[in-house]
Amino acid sequence: MTQGKQLISIVIPCYNEEEVISETHKQLTRFCNELTDLETELIFIDDGSEDQTKDFLKKFAGEDQRVKLICFARNF
């Protein structure tokens, strides 16, 4: 966290979202980039998706240190 900036965490639950997750990430990243007076993080929680959602999220987390990923083994 940058000295003096408050942190805002945005939590995004996901379940079988492969068709929309890239656009979701794109829009949230754009929003976070506009918040220049705040430190931001995106916490994606994959709730046991059975499609490629987790693969997309892993890619985002590898490319952007603001993206955090929590994966559940099955849908709860």
Side-chain angles (χ1 to χ4, degrees), residues 25-54:
H25 174 257
K26 177 181 168 184
Q27 295 295 329
L28 286 170
T29 298
R30 184 182 317 166
F31 173 74
C32 289
N33 289 340
E34 294 174 3
L35 300 176
T36 57
D37 57 336
L38 294 171
E39 193 77 24
T40 58
E41 69 179 356
L42 301 172
I43 304 171
F44 288 91
I45 301 175
D46 180 64
D47 196 12
S49 293
E50 298 173 348
D51 62 2
Q52 300 300 310
T53 299
K54 189 185 315 180

Side-chain angles (χ1 to χ4, degrees), residues 5-36:
K5 288 189 176 183
Q6 289 186 334
L7 174 66
I8 183 169
S9 301
I10 302 170
V11 179
I12 308 98
C14 306
Y15 180 71
N16 293 339
E17 304 293 343
E18 71 180 6
E19 292 182 14
V20 297
I21 200 64
S22 291
E23 184 64 23
T24 301
H25 174 257
K26 177 181 168 184
Q27 295 295 329
L28 286 170
T29 298
R30 184 182 317 166
F31 173 74
C32 289
N33 289 340
E34 294 174 3
L35 300 176
T36 57

